[in-house]
Each structure stands twice: as structure tokens, then as C-alpha cells.
Amino acid sequence: MSTTHTPITGRPVRVALVGAGNRGLTYAEWIKAHPERAELVAVADPRPAARAAAGAPVEFDDWRPLVEHRVADAVIVATQDRFHVEPVLALAGAGYAILAEKPLAPTEEETRRIVEGVERAGVLFAVCHVMRYTPYTDLVKEVVDSGVLGQLVSLDHLEPVGWWHYAHSYVRGPWRSEKDSSPMLLAKSCHDLDWIAYVMGGRIERVTGFGGLKHFRPENAPAGSADRCLDCAVESGCPYSAPKLYMPTLREKGAVWPVTHVTEATDEAGLLQALREGPYGVCVYRGDNDVVDHQVLAMQLTDGVTATFQMVAFTEQTHRRTRIFGSHGWLVGDGERVTVQDFRTGASTVHETGASGSNAADGHGGGDAALVEAFVTAVATGDPGAVRSGPATSLGSHLAAFAAERARHTGTVQTVPAS
């Protein structure tokens, strides 16, 4: 495999976008905001409205013309999870540098195919593990690497998905079904597993865990409820009421995420029609969802370091929460600040990174922008070192997620393959 990438000089990096959904458009916004660094030259998406939202001068309804005609230096692949393999492999074969949305693929076999294919093609390849790129992560990593905690012993990490976010994306949205998307742990939390390995400086070697779909089931539907929120006599008292989740956002902020996932319309009449006819207006207890709403993992990392991870739907939608335990100190982090207690002196020190949004609408705490900037820098300079989440690294987090799912289904401890 070639590891040499030709730098680009004298002009911005030309980027094409494949998949103009929320994630793809978010990355495209950074490109359009930095014309001196990058240029969005083409978009490929079957939906005319999505292509229009991207605002690229060249539009395709399919990604295949990008293979036939080399129009860019790099491609962002932000299609749904199950539609990454074919475009990534073909575009890598055509010589494009590629930034691929996570998860790479819903199965281990497909994930390995992608990693092997891009490595064989020798192209620059990065995965959208945005958590690696936030200022908060930089701070946690700096503290851990400084040695102030002493010998690392254990970590405890919580992903609070958010009750309304889970209902939107994983009960009513495109990630509600393992058959149509991927397991919840992979879809939502493979970059948490990636983050744990990154900040702790080791590899997840063994994993076990438990979880399931506890609440969003037909038997938990309130008495008197209906198939759709707009027809429901008890809707006003339900925390998952679709009108309560989407109408205030439309009225206060306009047609922004998550409303833009529900409808292309920008008015209340259009939103109500979508809730009456589409999946986002279905009762959360009567849908076709099957992904877990809670999951816990216990892990062993390199050198016997242990870690626990919990993903749960029933929280506010906010930053991850982390505790890291060392022989000489411990760290508590909430996504915006880190508190470190030094056992040698008894002193506690608070490090602030400042308030930042935790979800997709808010740029993942600065991670979205920093990720695209790092990728564009790598393409422009020809230096893959600017990328923190390459193919081999990302494979590790995916393999850990697949092993954790095997452990959940079989009640066993699973060894995570080294590669």
C-alpha cells in the first residue's frame, strides 16, 4: 500500500459530497465557510431538495458518476450506514481521498472489506469519529498523558442519549431497526468506544455486557393511547408526544434539526401533515423499532486497565460524563470542564473548555468542524498524520462494538480481535 499522498498547492481542496443528509450538510457548511481552504464542487444524492440544500455547482442523483469523472480531490461519504461499502470502495479505487461517516458498516465482514479496500488503494481515509477532535477531548487527553493521575487503573463513561433524541432517531427515525440500520451500540456509540481507547492510550481487548429494549414496547402504551399522536386522547401527558417534540422547535427556531428530518416543509401545516402521515407521528409504543434503549459494557483494555460504559435513552440530551481513576489522582469530566484531584497534594483543579453544544445540531462540541478541518489539512498537505481516526484505528472500535453485541446476545465474555 502506498503511504505517500501528493500535496495540493495553489488552490483550495476540491470536495464532493455523497449523501446530503444532516451529517453531510454539516460537514459541507464548514467547507463553504472556508473558501480559502476548500471548495464544495459536487453533491450526489437521490433527493432533489437535499442536493439543493448542499448548494454545490454540480449535482448527481447517484455517486457513480463521481467514479467515472474525477471532479474532486476528496469525497465525503455520508450516506446511511448500510450504503457505505460500495461507494467507499469504488471511490477509493478511483483515487479519491475519503472521509466516511461512522459507523463504517453494520457488519464485521463489511467493515473489514472497507478497511482492506482503502488500505489496498493507498488513499487517504478518515472516519467521522468526531469525539476525537473536540477541545474537551484534547483537554482530557492532555491530563491523562501528563501523568498527574499516576498509573491508569479504570474508567467509567456514560452516554446520555436523551429521552427525546432517542424517540426521534431510534424509535421513529432511520436508526430504529437493526435490520435497516445497525445495532444501537454501533450506530450511536462506536465512537464512544473509540474515544475510550483513544484517551486511555490502549486497546479494548475483552468485553461483556447487557442491555435491551425495555420501555418502547406495545405493552407499555398508556391506556387510551392511539396509533398516532395526533389522534391520541392522552398525548398531552406523554413525554414522547410528537407535537410536543417538534412544534416548539419550528415555532422558536424555524426549520432546523430535528424538524428537517421530519419534513421538507417549513410551516406548521406541513409539519402536521408529516406527523399525520409519516413515521415521526407514530406512537412510540406502537412502532417497528427494535434497537436497545439501554446497554452497559464492562471492558478490559491494554495492561489490565478496566472500563465501564453505559448508553441509556432516559436522560436529558447532554454531554457524555466520564470518570478516570489513577493510582495518584482521579478525573471527573462533563464535556465542558474537567476536575482533577491530586492524591499527593489533596488539591483539586478545575479546567474549563467553555460551553459547547453536545449534539448534532450544535456541532458535537466543536468536533464536527475540527474533524473536517483536519481532513482538509491532510488532503492539502499530503500528510495523513493530521487525521486522528484512520482505517486501522477505526477498525478497532468497530470490532469492539461487534464483540460487545455478541456478548450481549450470548451472555459471554468476548475477546476483541487485534485486527
Side-chain angles (χ1 to χ4, degrees):
M1 181 192 76
S2 171
T3 57
T4 301
H5 305 280
T6 303
I8 295 169
T9 57
R11 62 171 175 80
V13 173
R14 296 173 302 189
V15 182
L17 174 64
V18 173
N22 178 69
R23 303 307 302 140
L25 293 178
T26 296
Y27 303 138
E29 284 304 310
W30 185 93
I31 293 168
K32 291 188 289 186
H34 296 82
E36 74 287 355
R37 301 281 307 280
E39 178 186 6
L40 186 67
V41 297
V43 59
D45 194 293
R47 302 164 298 169
R51 297 197 300 269
V58 177
E59 297 183 7
F60 302 108
D61 61 7
D62 185 84
W63 54 266
R64 289 170 180 82
L66 295 173
V67 177
E68 300 167 6
H69 308 286
R70 181 72 179 270
V71 300
D73 307 301
V75 180
I76 298 173
V77 178
T79 56
Q80 282 294 108
D81 304 348
R82 287 192 172 272
F83 304 106
H84 288 175
V85 178
E86 190 178 3
V88 166
L89 293 180
L91 292 164
Y96 287 101
I98 298 174
L99 175 63
E101 185 55 86
K102 64 84 190 166
L104 285 176
T107 69
E108 181 172 335
E109 185 272 332
E110 290 172 306
T111 302
R112 289 186 180 276
R113 279 183 60 199
I114 287 178
V115 171
E116 291 166 2
V118 298
E119 289 184 336
R120 184 168 55 250
V123 297
L124 178 69
F125 185 77
V127 184
C128 296
H129 290 299
V130 296
M131 289 176 60
R132 282 193 178 226
Y133 296 86
T134 67
Y136 172 75
T137 297
D138 289 343
L139 175 56
V140 173
K141 184 70 171 165
E142 180 182 349
V143 170
V144 170
D145 290 349
S146 73
V148 68
L149 302 181
Q151 185 179 33
L152 297 180
V153 177
S154 192
L155 171 146
D156 174 48
H157 185 68
L158 166 69
E159 178 174 10
V161 177
W163 53 274
W164 69 266
H165 186 196
Y166 183 89
H168 168 73
S169 293
Y170 304 99
V171 178
R172 294 170 169 136
W175 297 277
R176 65 184 180 267
S177 164
E178 287 194 19
K179 174 177 63 68
D180 295 330
S181 177
S182 61
M184 178 72 176
L185 183 70
L186 188 69
K188 188 72 176 76
S189 304
C190 68
H191 59 182
D192 288 276
L193 302 184
D194 174 81
W195 189 86
I196 289 169
Y198 176 63
V199 299
M200 297 297 278
R203 188 180 72 83
I204 300 172
E205 297 180 343
R206 296 202 299 162
V207 61
T208 191
F210 309 92
L213 179 59
K214 175 73 172 176
H215 183 66
F216 297 101
R217 307 169 66 92
E219 60 266 30
N220 292 324
S225 59
D227 289 344
R228 286 188 173 272
C229 294
L230 294 182
D231 303 321
C232 184
V234 297
E235 168 269 328
S236 63
C238 177
Y240 307 103
S241 156
K244 285 164 61 176
L245 293 186
Y246 301 116
M247 197 62 74
T249 298
L250 180 64
R251 289 170 177 168
E252 296 168 13
K253 300 180 180 180
V256 298
W257 185 86
V259 174
T260 49
H261 270 192
V262 179
T263 178
E264 294 178 359
T266 58
D267 59 2
E268 293 188 14
L271 175 58
L272 287 173
Q273 181 180 355
L275 296 184
R276 186 165 298 283
E277 300 175 356
Y280 291 96
V282 172
C283 173
V284 293
Y285 301 103
R286 291 181 166 85
D288 58 355
N289 58 296
D290 61 14
V291 298
V292 303
D293 55 20
H294 68 295
Q295 191 162 0
V296 295
L297 307 183
M299 295 167 278
Q300 180 176 294
L301 280 67
T302 307
D303 296 329
V305 172
T306 58
T308 58
F309 170 69
Q310 180 172 198
M311 181 281 299
V312 63
F314 308 103
T315 67
E316 63 176 321
Q317 207 287 316
T318 188
H319 293 289
R320 275 82 166 171
R321 306 299 172 95
T322 305
R323 297 182 294 178
I324 300 176
F325 308 91
S327 61
H328 288 59
W330 79 321
L331 175 156
V332 179
D334 66 1
E336 295 182 1
R337 67 191 57 80
V338 168
T339 301
V340 179
Q341 183 175 25
D342 188 329
F343 300 160
R344 289 158 291 200
T345 65
S348 291
T349 305
V350 178
H351 306 272
E352 299 275 357
T353 61
S356 59
S358 62
N359 64 32
D362 300 316
H364 287 116
D368 291 346
L371 164 70
V372 182
E373 181 175 18
F375 177 67
V376 167
T377 297
V379 176
T381 62
D383 179 13
V387 169
R388 300 180 182 181
S389 48
T393 297
S394 187
L395 177 62
S397 62
H398 284 67
L399 293 179
F402 294 129
E405 281 297 283
R406 290 194 296 272
R408 180 173 72 87
H409 285 293
T410 61
T412 58
V413 178
Q414 291 284 316
T415 297
V416 181
S419 61

